[in-house]
């Protein structure tokens, strides 16, 4: 029976216990639950652990496989490091929501059927919204509502797809499929909404930067990467995903280049990095899927590290706009160096985790002879160094002296960043640690001299381009229009137009109402008359006093007609 | 204190000049090294000398210029969504009052 209990339930227990405990006991709960979850994850064997019947469907709450364990491991690791980063400053309800959110992500990892997957999917949607709201500002409240609408809509689309697949195949199994009919398209769209794919990528950069300094660390880890896992499990080799991924890669770079808010730059670069993974799932070979899984693992850690360093800056200064920051390296050397390690990792610099994992995706494109895809991925690698690798640390920690002299990170935040940075470098120098956990056997050598030299040329010269083009990248206090303009502006305008049209129609009806009342009154007066007229002179046809003879005549006519009609 | 901080060794003009010189040497070396360590291209088109360096520089140049151009069309003031709501607010204030995209993030 216990084998049917998902490791996610430890995190659910944690989410329940956090509000019920205080001080040291709460701290103990916060750190013990992820560790118990991690232990539990590695007890799960490959294959379905068991089946329970629900509404005549065979529900499989726990199914193990290497890729599922890999994602669950990194999610749990992130819950632990995120909690270490957050536990001293975050509100209890943010921590509880983060645990429930992580439970959703871990639950999806082990879901053996589509119904279980959907339930955990919605758990993520609900509690990630709470984390956005924990930002505490009016902006966070509004962004949280938009975020919730987007994710609940995605959930509905996913559910429609699941229902369709269940009806057409009679199976709720999670198994590879291609988007070939309405139902499978709906499932893929539902998942892609969570992956921040076009045309709705804007939800991510809208919501994440509104969260608190600690909340963004949790948000950056789970939703999009759970979507990547779902794509690996359900749509490996779906060719549309290559195009979708490439679009996300370019979109992320361009918008990050335009952006002024440091945390929004990082949000755009999540879309960019998830684009690499989506593209890899689209390529669909063993090398590509290994690359997607490994890159997701590495990405979760270095992206959390970047959000942590930006979070420390926000926590210490209350600012996150590049125009307000700069020169922080003087008093925040540790946070600066952690930010730089994260930035180098995301740029896939040799000796970091980004290099050993992302280059697998490029290799997969080479193996499949996808020339344009390879060239675009390579260009994107240069672009990542440009927008995240240099732009983020340069504008936040260096550039001009903003005059801000904040203290460096508190010990717990420093320790969490140190842990992430350690993993980034460890996976860069000892990639076999991650390669051994991947779904397929790895036959790939990341460190060949010519490959290292090629990437050094590519990245260092894109760095040169950054400094040469610095005058073109002067920060402005602006935001960039995105597709969310459609629902934040156009939809609001349309609503106003509809309201005014409805107003005009109502006015017309009101006029018509007045006219018909008048006509009615006239008819009443004309035929029924006014019995209370002052002079008692009854003018109307039916109000007149008729003589008895006339009345008798009318009655006899009516009766004769009735008798005639009865006999005819 | 500020005076001292402004003279931090990393922001002195002499250090910045040294960094540019050092950086240029490293850049040059990565290209020259290709004479001794031939880089194998995968498709032929990416096989020529200094391809990585040229490709990295040129695509970044194109992306920055493209983003700059797009910026003229897409960039709006930070209070773009808030400002819109204020205008709309006179007609439809109640529904929109919660929607202030935070410039205090």
């Amino acid at each position: 029976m216990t084998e049917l209990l998902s490791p996610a339930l430890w995190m659910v227990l944690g989410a329940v216990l956090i509000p019920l405990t205080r001080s040291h006991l709460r701290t103990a709960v916060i750190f013990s639950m992820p560790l118990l979850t991690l232990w539990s994850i590695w007890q799960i064997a490959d294959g379905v652990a068991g089946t329970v019947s629900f509404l005549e469907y065979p529900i499989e709450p726990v199914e193990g496989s290497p890729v599922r364990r890999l994602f669950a491991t990194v999610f749990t690791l992130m819950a632990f490091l995120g909690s270490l980063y957050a536990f001293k400053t975050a509100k209890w309800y943010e921590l509880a929501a983060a645990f429930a959110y992580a439970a959703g992500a871990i639950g999806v990892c082990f879901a053996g059927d589509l119904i279980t997957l959907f339930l955990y999917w919605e758990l993520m949607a609900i509690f990630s919204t709470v984390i956005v709201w924990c930002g505490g500002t009016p902006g966070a409240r509004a962004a949280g509502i938009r975020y919730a609408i987007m994710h609940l809509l995605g959930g509905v689309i996913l559910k429609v797809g699941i229902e369709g697949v269940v009806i057409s195949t009679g199976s709720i199994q999670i198994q590879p499929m291609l988007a070939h009919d309405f139902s499978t398209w709906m499932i893929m769209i539902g998942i892609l909404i969570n992956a921040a794919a076009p045309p709705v990528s804007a939800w991510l950069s809208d919501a994440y930067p509104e969260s608190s300094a600690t909340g963004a660390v949790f948000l950056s880890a789970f939703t999009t990467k759970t979507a990547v896992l779902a794509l690996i499990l359900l749509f490996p080799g779906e060719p549309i995903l290559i195009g979708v991924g490439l679009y996300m890669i370019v979109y992320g770079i361009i918008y990050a280049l335009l952006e002024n808010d440091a945390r929004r730059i990082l949000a755009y670069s999540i879309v960019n990095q998830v684009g690499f993974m989506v593209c890899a799932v689209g390529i669909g070979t063993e090398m590509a899927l290994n690359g997607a899984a490994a890159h997701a693992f590495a990405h979760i850690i270095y992206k959390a590290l970047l959000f942590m360093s930006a979070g420390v800056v926000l926590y210490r200064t209350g600012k996150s706009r590049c125009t307000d920051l700069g020169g922080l390296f003087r008093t925040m050397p540790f946070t600066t160096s952690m930010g730089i390690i994260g930035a180098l990792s995301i740029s896939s610099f040799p000796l970091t985790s980004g290099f050993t994992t992302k280059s697998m995706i490029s290799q997969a494109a080479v193996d499949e002879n996808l020339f344009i895809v390879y060239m675009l991925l390579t260009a994107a690698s240069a672009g990542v160094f440009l927008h995240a690798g240099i732009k983020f640390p340069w504008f936040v920690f260096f550039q001009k002296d903003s005059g801000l002299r904040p203290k460096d990170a508190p010990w717990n935040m420093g320790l969490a960043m140190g842990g992430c940075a350690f993993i980034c470098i460890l996976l860069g120098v000892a990639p076999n640690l991650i390669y051994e956990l991947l779904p397929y056997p790895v036959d790939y050598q990341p460190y060949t001299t010519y490959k290292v030299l090629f990437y050094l040329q590519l990245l260092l010269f894109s760095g040169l381009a950054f400094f040469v083009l610095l005058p073109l990248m002067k920060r402005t206090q602006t935001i960039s229009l995105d597709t969310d303009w459609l629902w934040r502006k156009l939809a609001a305008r349309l609503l106003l137009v509809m309201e005014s049209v409805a107003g005009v129609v109502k006015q017309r009806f009101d006029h018509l109402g007045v006219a018909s009342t008048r006509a009615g009154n006239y008819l009443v007066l004309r035929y029924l008359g006014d019995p209370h007229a002052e002079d008692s002179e009854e003018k109307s046809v039916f109000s007149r006093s008729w003589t008895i003879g006339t009345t008798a005549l009318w009655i006899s006519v009516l009766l004769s007609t009735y008798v005639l009609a009865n006999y005819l | 204190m500020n005076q001292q901080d402004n003279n931090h060794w990393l922001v002195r003009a002499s250090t910045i000049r040294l960094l540019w010189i050092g950086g240029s040497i490293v850049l040059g070396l990565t290209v020259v090294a290709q004479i001794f360590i031939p880089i194998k291209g995968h498709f032929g088109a990416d096989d020529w000398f200094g391809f990585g360096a040229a490709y990295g520089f040129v695509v970044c140049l194109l992306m920055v210029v493209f983003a700059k151009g797009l910026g003229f069309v897409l960039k709006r003031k930070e209070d773009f969504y808030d400002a819109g709501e204020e205008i709309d607010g006179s007609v439809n204030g109640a529904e929109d009052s919660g929607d202030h995209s935070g410039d205090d993030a």
Side-chain angles (χ1 to χ4, degrees):
Chain A
M1 186 62 200
T2 50
E3 71 272 8
L4 289 177
L5 298 177
S6 170
L9 297 178
W10 285 116
M11 297 302 285
V12 174
L13 182 65
V16 173
L17 287 178
I18 286 171
L20 300 177
T21 50
R22 289 282 176 278
S23 75
H24 292 311
L25 190 58
R26 180 183 287 167
T27 310
V29 168
I30 287 170
F31 292 118
S32 59
M33 288 305 154
L35 293 177
L36 283 167
T37 311
L38 204 57
W39 169 78
S40 201
I41 285 168
W42 287 92
Q43 302 304 310
I44 292 173
D46 285 356
V48 178
T51 307
V52 282
S53 184
F54 173 71
L55 298 175
E56 297 180 9
Y57 290 117
I59 301 292
E60 296 164 355
V62 178
E63 181 180 344
S65 76
V67 71
R68 289 166 181 268
R69 273 194 299 273
L70 181 76
F71 274 80
T73 301
V74 70
F75 288 152
T76 314
L77 203 58
M78 212 41 251
F80 182 83
L81 289 167
S83 300
L84 175 62
Y85 180 81
F87 85 102
K88 281 177 86 76
T89 47
K91 299 271 191 299
W92 66 264
Y93 44 86
E94 184 174 280
L95 285 169
F99 269 57
Y101 179 27
I106 296 162
V108 169
C109 292
F110 291 112
D113 63 274
L114 292 167
I115 293 174
T116 310
L117 178 131
F118 179 75
L119 288 177
Y120 284 116
W121 199 264
E122 292 301 290
L123 190 70
M124 279 198 305
I126 292 164
F127 286 99
S128 54
T129 306
V130 175
I131 294 181
V132 176
W133 277 332
C134 285
T137 59
R141 201 174 66 230
I145 291 168
R146 288 192 292 273
Y147 176 90
I149 291 170
M150 184 57 69
H151 284 268
L152 295 179
L153 183 72
V156 169
I157 293 173
L158 178 65
K159 189 77 175 76
V160 167
I162 290 173
E163 296 289 348
V165 166
V166 171
I167 288 167
S168 61
T169 66
S171 164
I172 57 167
Q173 284 288 315
I174 290 181
Q175 54 202 355
M177 53 180 92
L178 291 175
H180 58 79
D181 62 8
F182 178 77
S183 310
T184 44
W185 264 103
M186 286 296 109
I187 291 184
M188 194 169 78
I189 290 170
I191 296 170
L192 281 175
I193 287 176
N194 265 28
V200 295
S201 312
W203 68 255
L204 199 154
S205 54
D206 177 26
Y208 286 10
E210 300 292 349
S211 62
S212 70
T214 47
V217 174
F218 293 110
L219 288 169
S220 73
F222 302 126
T223 302
T224 47
K225 265 62 75 181
T226 315
V228 170
L229 173 65
L231 288 174
I232 291 175
L233 295 174
L234 289 166
F235 294 99
E238 168 56 55
I240 292 158
L241 294 178
I242 298 178
V244 172
L246 289 174
Y247 178 89
M248 290 169 73
I249 289 170
V250 177
Y251 163 90
I253 295 173
I254 300 298
Y255 271 82
L257 283 174
L258 289 169
E259 186 53 49
N260 181 34
D261 187 294
R263 297 204 309 157
R264 196 157 274 130
I265 292 174
L266 296 179
Y268 282 123
S269 82
I270 292 181
V271 182
N272 161 272
Q273 295 291 296
V274 172
F276 277 91
M277 298 166 215
V278 171
C279 181
V281 178
I283 295 172
T285 58
E286 289 190 355
M287 171 67 90
L289 296 178
N290 272 344
H295 190 219
F297 191 104
H299 165 77
I300 287 170
I301 304 291
Y302 61 63
K303 182 55 69 176
L305 177 56
L306 286 164
F307 266 110
M308 283 176 181
S309 64
V312 172
V313 172
L314 179 66
Y315 172 66
R316 287 296 195 202
T317 67
K319 298 172 195 301
S320 68
R321 282 179 290 197
C322 294
T323 40
D324 299 334
L325 296 169
L328 301 182
F329 75 94
R330 292 173 175 83
T331 53
M332 302 182 93
F334 183 75
T335 305
T336 304
S337 49
M338 292 298 107
I340 289 174
I341 291 175
L344 291 176
S345 300
I346 196 173
S347 314
S348 58
F349 228 81
L351 301 181
T352 65
S353 56
F355 181 78
T356 51
T357 57
K358 197 164 45 175
S359 60
M360 294 176 92
I361 299 174
S362 294
Q363 186 62 46
V366 171
D367 294 345
E368 292 304 291
N369 218 18
L370 300 168
F371 173 65
I372 294 173
V373 175
Y374 170 76
M375 292 303 273
L376 286 173
L377 288 175
T378 309
S381 297
V384 173
F385 191 48
L386 190 72
H387 85 266
I390 304 184
K391 183 181 170 181
F392 168 74
W394 173 256
F395 281 110
V396 174
F397 298 111
F398 299 99
Q399 61 148 341
K400 66 181 195 310
D401 181 11
S402 61
L404 296 167
R405 296 290 183 267
K407 281 202 284 186
D408 213 328
W411 71 265
N412 62 309
M413 292 185 169
L415 199 59
M417 287 193 290
C420 289
F422 175 75
I423 297 171
C424 286
I425 294 172
L426 182 70
L427 298 182
V429 294
N432 282 333
L433 289 173
I434 179 110
Y435 290 171
E436 282 165 12
L437 303 178
L438 294 178
Y440 302 102
V442 177
D443 178 25
Y444 176 64
Q445 180 49 255
Y447 289 110
T448 53
T449 39
Y450 80 89
K451 199 180 285 176
V452 171
L453 183 63
F454 174 75
Y455 272 95
L456 281 178
Q457 276 190 8
L458 187 81
L459 296 176
L460 293 178
F461 274 83
S462 56
L464 175 69
F466 177 86
F467 287 107
V468 169
L469 300 169
L470 209 48
L472 280 181
M473 287 194 273
K474 196 169 176 295
R475 296 295 81 221
T476 49
Q477 296 198 349
T478 50
I479 55 161
S480 305
L481 290 186
D482 203 329
T483 46
D484 62 349
W485 177 84
L486 292 172
W487 53 90
R488 292 178 72 177
K489 241 357 186 199
L490 187 68
R493 287 275 153 85
L494 283 177
L495 214 62
L496 279 181
V497 170
M498 278 162 65
E499 211 172 60
S500 60
V501 168
V504 170
V505 170
K506 184 176 176 296
Q507 226 171 20
R508 286 285 152 85
F509 271 105
D510 285 349
H511 280 306
L512 208 67
V514 171
S516 61
T517 312
R518 274 185 196 156
N521 284 347
Y522 170 76
L523 287 174
V524 166
L525 281 173
R526 171 84 176 76
Y527 291 104
L528 298 178
D530 185 358
H532 304 294
E534 256 178 40
D535 57 358
S536 292
E537 196 181 321
E538 293 153 345
K539 295 165 190 157
S540 306
V541 177
F542 296 111
S543 302
R544 225 172 272 158
S545 297
W546 291 0
T547 57
I548 290 179
T550 314
T551 310
L553 179 66
W554 272 109
I555 289 171
S556 57
V557 168
L558 280 171
L559 281 173
S560 317
T561 314
Y562 174 75
V563 171
L564 266 172
N566 203 26
Y567 283 100
L568 281 176
Chain B
M1 160 122 183
N2 261 4
Q3 190 59 36
Q4 237 177 0
D5 288 338
N6 286 336
N7 283 333
H8 192 283
W9 63 269
L10 201 55
V11 294
R12 281 181 212 142
S14 54
T15 317
I16 291 169
R17 196 171 56 246
L18 272 177
L19 282 173
W20 270 105
I21 294 167
S24 307
I25 292 170
V26 172
L27 287 172
L29 281 177
T30 57
V31 179
V32 173
Q34 209 177 333
I35 300 169
F36 310 104
I37 307 164
I39 295 177
K40 282 188 281 182
H42 298 293
F43 295 97
D46 55 348
D47 229 358
W48 41 278
F49 187 80
F51 169 77
Y55 192 62
F57 188 85
V58 171
V59 292
C60 285
L61 179 78
L62 291 176
M63 279 190 268
V64 170
V65 171
F66 180 67
K68 185 82 185 165
L70 209 60
F72 288 118
V73 184
L74 295 182
K75 275 191 176 185
R76 293 289 183 280
K77 282 187 179 156
E78 280 178 334
D79 61 353
F80 173 70
Y81 288 111
D82 303 332
E85 276 145 23
E86 272 162 33
I87 295 164
D88 297 345
S90 59
V91 188
N92 193 25
E95 280 90 343
D96 287 338
S97 60
D99 194 7
H100 298 285
S101 76
D103 52 2
D104 49 351

